[in-house]
Amino acid sequence: METILLINGKETGDMSKGAYNTGLIDTARETLKDHYEILETVIEDGYDAAEEYEKFKKADIVVYQYPVFWFSCPAIVKKYIDDVYGYDLFFGHSDGPYGTGGLMAGKKLMLSTTWNAPLTVFDNPDSLFEGLSFDQALVSMKVTHKYCGFEILPHFHAHNIVQAPNFEEDSKRFAAHLTDTLLQPNAQAAE
Amino acid sequence: MKKILVLYAHPRPERSEVNQVMATAVQSLDHVTYVDLYADYPAFDIDVKREQDRLVAHDIIIFQHPLYWYSTPAILKEWQDLVLQHGFAYGSTGRALAGKVCMNVLTAGAARAYYTEGGALGREMRDFLAPFESMAGLCRMHYVPPFSLYGAGYHADETVTYTHAEDYRRLLIALGRDHFDYQAAANVPELSDGLDQFILKG
């Protein structure tokens, strides 16, 4: 049985209580528990960098669930990565070309993000973001994990979750995304 | 002179000779306020009111940092998450930052050539900083492309470092005097490719 590490990157504050993201983690656990051994981290509850490394070593697949703050991950997720992704653990020296020293090769990463912004404001020259592509907010996370050797799985995203939340629908879509990506024979094709 | 706020974020500043040289080059300028975020908030206990007051009191905001995992060190993200509140920085009544200028001044370990469409990373530094450009848009600020020092690892060349620090000083003086060609700079990927193109004489 393969192992999945579910990382809950919620950061609780006045405007964000973390319930949506915790709910989607519950969806992932329910969907995957009969097929994978599940490891979990809730960053906000605290962590030990060495223990986290052991979880990553054991995991075949890592799923990050977080709300997008300022077109990026919450600060605690960035701090977690700065703290945990150490030299000689996640990446090492390579005599090959740049980006070939990743020590997490063979593992896969899935990002699942929640947004207040509706999908229609992206790739739209008339919107506030002047054509900004939705993927640009994820570039740093994707390249970070590629650098460490991960394959990147298709991304899941839920929108408009503050102004017009529909958790039931998003949870169903997430379960279907996980099923398509991780539970079908010959699934797990990278992006 | 326009007033410039430098928000410096380096978790281990004693290990960055380059950033120390850059700090020394600009700290003495009268129109520059230099804030060391990790020194002020070692436990990430950011004083939101104090930071908002600092923003209001300045015209140009510079985020100075090393590139950490193709992004900023965590404290700068925390600063964004906490300080840029709805009703202050954005939203229908949040106009405190409207019309101000912001940009990233950063150091990166990998070579300039890697940060190109055909390079190892497949995109420009400016593309990695797209979240800042979007932030500027939402806060009605004017975004200036990054001013980066590449190859800033342990073996950084001393001459390159000092030349870059001197260019940083010239940039902040030009911005302060409003001798900066915002229009010419608007669409370039990187200011350090040719800083003199953007500094107006006079």
Side-chain angles (χ1 to χ4, degrees):
Chain A
M1 198 182 238
E2 291 197 323
T3 299
I4 286 204
L5 171 58
L6 301 177
I7 300 177
N8 185 342
K10 76 183 165 88
E11 185 166 0
T12 310
D14 293 343
M15 287 186 66
S16 167
K17 301 298 179 203
Y20 218 94
N21 280 269
T22 300
L24 290 175
I25 287 278
D26 293 343
T27 302
R29 189 188 308 109
E30 278 308 303
T31 309
L32 301 170
K33 68 177 185 204
D34 294 336
H35 310 275
Y36 290 91
E37 186 183 336
I38 310 259
L39 302 174
E40 294 199 48
T41 291
V42 181
I43 295 176
E44 200 173 49
D45 292 347
Y47 54 85
D48 174 82
E51 279 173 23
E52 295 308 301
Y53 172 64
E54 291 304 320
K55 290 184 197 171
F56 271 89
K57 243 178 31 178
K58 188 141 190 277
D60 302 287
I61 296 161
V62 176
V63 177
Y64 267 95
Q65 174 68 53
Y66 62 86
V68 171
F69 290 176
W70 291 110
F71 317 99
S72 178
C73 61
I76 56 164
V77 175
K78 188 68 208 330
K79 183 158 194 308
Y80 176 84
I81 290 171
D82 290 354
D83 290 343
V84 174
Y85 289 21
Y87 179 73
D88 262 355
L89 300 173
F90 282 68
F91 65 103
H93 174 75
S94 158
D95 288 322
Y98 180 84
T100 55
L103 299 175
M104 292 285 158
K107 301 180 192 293
K108 300 183 170 78
L109 176 95
M110 181 187 289
L111 299 176
S112 171
T113 53
T114 60
W115 303 66
N116 179 39
L119 195 53
T120 50
V121 301
F122 297 97
D123 298 296
N124 174 357
D126 298 327
S127 85
L128 174 71
F129 303 138
E130 299 176 348
L132 175 89
S133 127
F134 165 71
D135 269 347
Q136 278 181 288
L138 304 164
V139 161
S140 293
M141 277 295 264
K142 285 186 180 174
V143 175
T144 292
H145 288 91
K146 279 188 191 170
Y147 187 88
C148 295
F150 288 90
E151 253 181 69
I152 311 294
L153 293 169
H155 168 228
F156 177 78
H157 39 108
H159 290 269
N160 228 346
I161 71 151
V162 179
Q163 291 192 345
N166 187 345
F167 181 78
E168 205 177 313
E169 174 62 28
D170 284 331
S171 172
K172 262 191 221 158
R173 283 198 306 114
F174 190 34
H177 179 85
L178 290 165
T179 302
D180 289 349
T181 312
L182 300 176
L183 301 182
Q184 306 290 347
N186 309 317
Q188 300 189 16
E191 243 182 28
Chain B
M1 292 287 266
K2 302 267 186 198
K3 288 185 161 174
I4 299 179
L5 176 64
V6 177
L7 296 170
Y8 173 52
H10 197 306
R12 284 174 293 184
E14 72 284 353
R15 285 179 52 174
S16 177
E17 196 186 324
V18 173
N19 277 283
Q20 286 176 33
V21 173
M22 289 173 67
T24 306
V26 301
Q27 274 171 329
S28 60
L29 296 169
D30 283 341
H31 66 297
V32 173
T33 307
Y34 198 88
V35 172
D36 182 339
L37 288 176
Y38 276 97
D40 279 9
Y41 305 114
F44 279 50
D45 47 345
I46 291 173
D47 182 339
V48 171
K49 178 71 173 59
R50 178 190 187 200
E51 294 304 315
Q52 289 182 346
D53 289 346
R54 277 174 173 163
L55 287 174
V56 170
H58 293 81
D59 308 297
I60 297 164
I61 317 301
I62 307 256
F63 303 105
Q64 185 189 331
H65 58 91
L67 192 71
Y68 264 37
W69 289 116
Y70 310 105
S71 177
T72 66
I75 202 166
L76 204 44
K77 189 72 218 321
E78 182 78 346
W79 179 93
Q80 289 179 283
D81 291 353
L82 294 179
V83 176
L84 303 179
Q85 288 173 331
H86 184 267
F88 171 78
Y90 69 103
S92 56
T93 59
R95 300 291 168 100
L97 305 178
K100 295 184 191 290
V101 170
C102 72
M103 67 179 292
N104 297 79
V105 168
L106 67 156
T107 52
R112 173 71 181 99
Y114 292 8
Y115 290 88
T116 55
E117 221 163 278
L121 288 160
R123 49 181 74 70
E124 294 283 346
M125 185 68 80
R126 183 171 176 167
D127 298 319
F128 283 102
L129 298 171
F132 276 86
E133 202 158 345
S134 302
M135 172 200 75
L138 196 61
C139 299
R140 301 177 171 85
M141 299 175 83
H142 181 81
Y143 181 79
V144 172
F147 177 68
S148 316
L149 178 64
Y150 297 90
Y154 292 105
H155 308 296
D157 181 287
E158 203 168 285
T159 312
V160 172
T161 298
Y162 278 87
T163 305
H164 183 76
E166 183 51 33
D167 283 348
Y168 183 28
R169 183 183 169 87
R170 290 198 300 123
L171 170 63
L172 294 200
I173 291 171
L175 288 167
R177 289 185 179 150
D178 215 7
H179 286 175
F180 186 80
D181 190 342
Y182 287 98
Q183 212 175 341
N187 295 314
V188 303
E190 170 61 66
L191 295 191
S192 65
D193 288 345
L195 183 64
D196 287 313
Q197 298 166 55
F198 314 115
I199 294 182
L200 301 168
K201 305 285 176 255

